[in-house]
């Protein structure tokens, strides 16, 4: 396997860790900056919103840039932003650095995927993409628990960890990545958004947005939801997050096979229903470690299975324009994550720290309803399933 390909995966590992790890360090961050938990959760919101809004704009503005230069520029911005996050003396400045980090991530991730296909022969492109996207998956399983453990006393150490990962990828790519073929003509911003005029595409994007709105409204504040089980102990919280990460990998694997065998509709409806049930039970499950681990098993398993089905559904609507449609799915995912931070904050304010997951249950049932009314039964096909976009928390999440 080419070393530059592994370095590209290291970059996506850094991005994935950065987008999700704040959920694990809310406690020390709140104590240091003197802000309440709902306000700290907005750090995830601004990152996700910045990514969702900036990704299509920056892609259009940099369409003619050489890919190598674009990759190095993106990692420079991302790494510098995380260093500034680690140094930020106030909450307001920290928010600003998260937007800057999101800009670097929004430039890097799609460019890394495109670069991966240029580094290998056509017969190995699928494996190359899986390697780069695998960095996001490993971030869920390893990066977030590691970052949570490192930052349990000083959240700034977690930001320095992400900075070091970004710097390592930047240095390696600067030294080892050769020039890449010039990009072909890219669609304009208007062309990227045009498919939303079509009902099936809009319905699919709406399902993605609402499902991740539900998912992230709990994940961002998971430390709060399971505080009865962890008692504020960082090791216990890391165990819960590690379980989430491992089950996310399992859910991705299972989702691909279920989509091919049973079809998109059944995976969407089954996953949404399972998530809604787990959210409903979380106020009780979150009181004990066995209950918290049960939740950390069910919801990531269901959520990542759904995350496979969602881009598959969009790609099947118009296979000739699959990359463009899947990019819309990614934007909807990050918009849902951004809105999830605000929704979770509002739910905590209205329902309290124990009962706020009930709002997520209602949102998951809404996603179920949207999927049920806009997705038709189809015969499963043996065609390869597209790789899921990673949840920022679930992400990629």
């Amino acid at each position: 396997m080419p070393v530059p390909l592994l370095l590209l995966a290291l970059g996506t590992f850094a991005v994935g860790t950065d987008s999700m790890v704040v959920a694990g360090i809310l406690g020390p961050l709140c104590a240091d900056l003197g802000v309440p938990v709902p306000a700290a959760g907005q750090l995830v919101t601004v990152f996700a919103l910045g990514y969702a809004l900036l990704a299509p704009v920056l892609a259009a503005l940099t369409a003619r840039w050489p890919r190598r230069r674009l990759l190095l520029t993106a990692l420079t911005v991302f790494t510098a932003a995380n260093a500034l996050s680690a140094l930020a003396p106030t909450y307001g400045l920290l928010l600003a650095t998260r937007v800057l980090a999101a800009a670097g991530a929004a430039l890097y991730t799609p460019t890394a995927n495109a670069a991966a296909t240029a580094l290998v022969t056509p017969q190995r492109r699928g494996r190359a993409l899986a390697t780069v996207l695998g960095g996001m998956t490993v971030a869920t399983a390893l990066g977030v628990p590691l970052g949570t453990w490192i930052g349990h006393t000083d959240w700034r150490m977690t930001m320095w960890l992400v900075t070091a990962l970004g710097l390592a990828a930047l240095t390696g790519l600067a030294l080892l990545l050769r020039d890449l073929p010039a990009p072909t003509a890219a669609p304009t911003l208007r062309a990227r958004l045009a498919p939303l005029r079509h009902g099936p595409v809009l319905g699919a994007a709406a399902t993605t947005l609402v499902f991740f709105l539900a998912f992230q409204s709990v994940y961002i504040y998971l430390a709060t939801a399971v505080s009865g089980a962890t008692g504020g102990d960082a090791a216990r919280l890391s165990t819960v997050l590690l379980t989430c990460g491992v089950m996310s990998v399992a859910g991705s694997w299972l989702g691909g096979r279920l989509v091919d065998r049973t079809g998109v509709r059944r995976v969407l409806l089954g996953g949404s229903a399972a998530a809604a049930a787990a959210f409903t039970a979380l106020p009780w499950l979150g009181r004990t470690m066995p209950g918290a681990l049960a939740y950390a098993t069910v919801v990531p398993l269901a959520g990542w299975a759904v995350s496979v089905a969602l881009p598959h559904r969009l790609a099947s609507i118009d296979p000739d324009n699959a990359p463009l449609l899947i990019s819309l799915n990614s934007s909807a995912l990050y918009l849902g994550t951004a809105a999830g931070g605000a929704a979770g904050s509002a739910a905590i304010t209205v329902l309290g720290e124990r009962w706020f997951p009930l709002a997520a249950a209602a949102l998951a049932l809404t996603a179920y309803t949207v999927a049920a009314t806009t997705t038709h039964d189809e015969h499963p096909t043996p065609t390869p399933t597209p790789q899921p976009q990673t949840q920022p928390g679930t992400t990629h999440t």
Side-chain angles (χ1 to χ4, degrees):
M1 183 177 295
V3 173
L5 197 61
L6 296 176
L7 291 169
L8 290 173
L10 177 61
T12 57
F13 175 76
V15 169
T17 301
D18 193 35
S19 67
M20 297 179 285
V21 77
V22 171
I25 55 173
L26 288 182
L29 192 152
C30 292
D32 181 38
L33 297 181
V35 296
V37 169
Q42 299 313 303
L43 294 169
V44 179
T45 298
V46 297
F47 185 98
L49 186 61
Y51 189 110
L53 297 180
L54 291 172
V57 175
L58 293 175
L61 292 176
T62 60
R64 298 182 181 276
W65 284 30
R67 286 174 179 166
R68 182 178 184 277
R69 188 176 90 184
L70 184 53
L71 282 169
L72 298 182
T73 300
L75 280 176
T76 299
V77 172
F78 174 80
T79 302
N82 276 282
L84 291 173
S85 293
L87 296 170
T90 66
Y91 174 71
L93 288 175
L94 183 58
L95 277 175
T97 65
R98 303 317 295 148
V99 175
L100 187 61
L107 272 175
Y108 178 78
T109 305
T111 308
N113 290 332
T117 64
L119 290 173
V120 297
T121 62
Q123 294 78 13
R124 300 183 65 86
R125 285 177 180 172
R127 279 168 284 187
L129 283 171
T131 298
V132 175
L133 290 170
M136 289 283 194
T137 305
V138 176
T140 305
L142 179 62
V144 173
L146 177 63
T148 300
W149 180 77
I150 288 176
H152 73 278
T153 57
D154 184 357
W155 64 272
R156 297 177 190 274
M157 295 303 296
T158 300
M159 295 294 101
W160 284 121
L161 169 66
V162 177
T163 301
L165 291 170
L167 183 60
L170 172 62
T171 303
L173 289 173
L175 293 174
L176 299 176
L177 184 64
R178 57 177 171 80
D179 290 334
L180 297 168
T184 57
T188 63
L189 181 59
R190 178 176 294 181
R192 291 172 184 271
L193 299 178
L196 290 175
R197 299 172 186 170
H198 302 292
V201 174
L202 183 60
T207 303
T208 299
L209 190 151
V210 177
F211 182 82
F212 283 102
L213 170 59
F215 191 96
Q216 296 294 347
S217 68
V218 172
Y219 183 84
I220 293 170
Y221 303 101
L222 187 58
T224 299
V226 299
S227 59
T230 64
D233 182 73
R236 289 190 172 191
L237 179 58
S238 294
T239 300
V240 174
L241 292 174
L242 178 61
T243 303
C244 284
V246 172
M247 297 314 297
S248 296
V249 175
S252 179
W253 177 87
L254 179 64
R257 282 147 186 81
L258 287 177
V259 165
D260 288 339
R261 292 181 181 179
T262 68
V264 168
R265 179 181 171 86
R266 290 184 181 181
V267 175
L268 289 177
L269 298 186
S272 297
F279 292 144
T280 301
L282 184 55
W284 294 273
L285 295 176
R287 311 302 290 175
T288 66
M289 275 302 289
L293 292 174
Y295 172 86
T297 298
V298 173
V299 170
L301 192 68
W304 277 73
V306 169
S307 75
V308 172
L310 289 166
H312 187 289
R313 177 188 178 191
L314 271 167
S316 66
I317 293 173
D318 184 1
D320 291 339
N321 290 307
L324 181 57
L325 294 177
I326 291 174
S327 73
L328 289 176
N329 184 77
S330 181
S331 291
L333 187 156
Y334 274 94
L335 284 173
T337 298
S345 174
I348 290 174
T349 301
V350 174
L351 300 177
E353 293 187 350
R354 179 177 180 183
W355 302 103
F356 80 93
L358 297 180
L363 290 168
L365 290 176
T366 301
Y368 179 99
T369 303
V370 173
T373 55
T374 61
T375 308
H376 301 293
D377 289 315
E378 83 283 341
H379 298 290
T381 64
T383 54
T385 301
Q387 293 288 329
Q389 273 92 27
T390 299
Q391 306 171 29
T394 64
T395 197
H396 342 166
T397 290

